[in-house]
Amino acid sequence: MTQQFPNLARIDLNQLLALQAILEEKHITRAAARASLSQPAMSRVLGRLRSALGDDLLIRSGVGYERTPRGDRLLQELEVLLPRLNAVIGSNDFDPSTSQQCFRVAGTDYAAAIIVSGTVRLCRQSAPGVRVEVVGWTQDSYRDVEMGRCDVALGVGSVPTLPKELKVEVLYQENFVCLMSTDTKFKGKRFSLDEYLRRPHAVVATAEGRQTMIDRPLADLGKQRNVVRLCRKN
């Protein structure tokens, strides 16, 4: 296990709460009282943390202490990490009214606007302590969920390479429409696939530079569109 997580071997995980107290309080005595330790014991903990992390963490500034840049970054990470660790080793019960978890969601801008924005509004009402972090969609988003780097991935359409360990649920369905310039003329109300492909296309790419729900079926037929303008979206 130490070979897989070599950095964790340098620090006692029990010291993470003490580290958070030290960085938040910026005062050894107050941090010691908060962690139920004596002041000398907290000073020894700080010394071990400084040695393990290779940083002073706190430096004297005037009459008190200030966090180092590394200390600032560590505190930001601990504010996310510790609630999640607490939830992992706690009970299986989830109480949204008291939860302090941060949920990481991978999705496109469209998914964020349609789904995440409404979810955040609901969280404010029933889960005020919950935070939702949205990251841009990549071809590795499903893998990130499998590895625990994301909690949810909002995809589009069927995904042939979806890991078997993941649970999938259809949230909603939409219909595609074809928008045409007013000067586009066809003989009838319907037009053929070949006529559709001959026309110049403006495309808003949603994943991997393509609109997969259209371009994958066309690729299966050995065909592709005449794209003259491509706007990439994450």
Side-chain angles (χ1 to χ4, degrees):
M1 186 62 70
T2 57
Q3 293 178 350
Q4 186 178 4
F5 303 105
N7 292 332
L8 294 181
R10 294 160 34 201
I11 190 171
D12 182 351
L13 295 183
N14 291 322
Q15 296 174 353
L16 291 180
L17 290 174
L19 175 59
Q20 184 186 39
I22 290 171
L23 295 175
E24 286 186 345
E25 298 292 346
K26 295 187 291 187
H27 192 282
I28 302 301
T29 302
R30 289 199 301 267
R34 177 170 155 183
S36 300
L37 294 174
S38 66
Q39 194 273 344
M42 183 59 86
S43 294
R44 291 193 293 272
V45 170
L46 176 58
R48 289 194 291 269
L49 288 169
R50 282 171 165 167
S51 177
L53 298 173
D55 190 86
D56 287 337
L57 303 176
L58 291 181
I59 55 176
R60 286 194 176 275
S61 176
V63 296
Y65 287 89
E66 294 294 333
R67 289 186 294 270
T68 64
R70 176 81 186 280
D72 281 330
R73 293 194 300 271
L74 284 170
L75 181 56
Q76 293 175 1
E77 294 292 339
L78 288 172
E79 288 173 346
V80 175
L81 175 64
L82 291 178
R84 299 194 70 167
L85 282 176
N86 185 63
V88 167
I89 63 177
S91 68
N92 291 327
D93 296 332
F94 175 73
D95 184 353
S97 64
T98 59
S99 176
Q100 299 292 316
Q101 287 182 252
C102 175
F103 294 95
R104 207 161 192 242
V105 179
T108 63
D109 291 346
Y110 181 72
I114 298 299
I115 299 175
V116 179
S117 59
T119 301
V120 170
R121 286 195 295 270
L122 291 175
C123 285
R124 289 175 181 171
Q125 299 172 9
S126 58
V130 163
R131 295 189 299 119
V132 179
E133 179 184 353
V134 180
V135 297
W137 178 267
T138 72
Q139 61 182 0
D140 296 322
S141 289
Y142 291 121
R143 177 66 173 169
D144 289 340
V145 175
E146 184 183 24
M147 299 301 296
R149 293 187 287 265
C150 279
D151 297 290
V152 178
L154 301 175
V156 179
S158 60
V159 186
T161 59
L162 185 68
K164 295 180 180 179
E165 295 78 7
L166 300 186
K167 295 181 179 180
V168 181
E169 182 177 350
V170 177
L171 299 180
Y172 66 96
Q173 294 182 337
E174 287 189 331
N175 295 320
F176 278 95
V177 296
C178 180
L179 300 180
M180 299 181 294
S181 170
T182 55
D183 60 4
T184 300
K185 303 298 182 182
F186 290 102
K187 294 181 180 179
K189 293 183 178 180
R190 299 176 63 88
F191 50 89
S192 68
L193 177 60
D194 288 338
E195 288 177 312
Y196 170 76
L197 295 176
R198 281 197 300 269
R199 300 287 174 173
H201 288 242
V203 173
V204 178
T206 57
E208 300 179 6
R210 299 181 301 170
Q211 288 182 314
T212 55
M213 292 294 289
I214 298 175
D215 294 308
R216 278 179 180 163
L218 289 175
D220 292 340
L221 296 173
K223 299 179 182 295
Q224 65 181 17
R225 291 186 286 172
N226 175 24
V227 178
V228 297
R229 181 175 179 82
L230 178 66
C231 177
R232 299 182 183 274
K233 299 292 287 183
N234 290 325

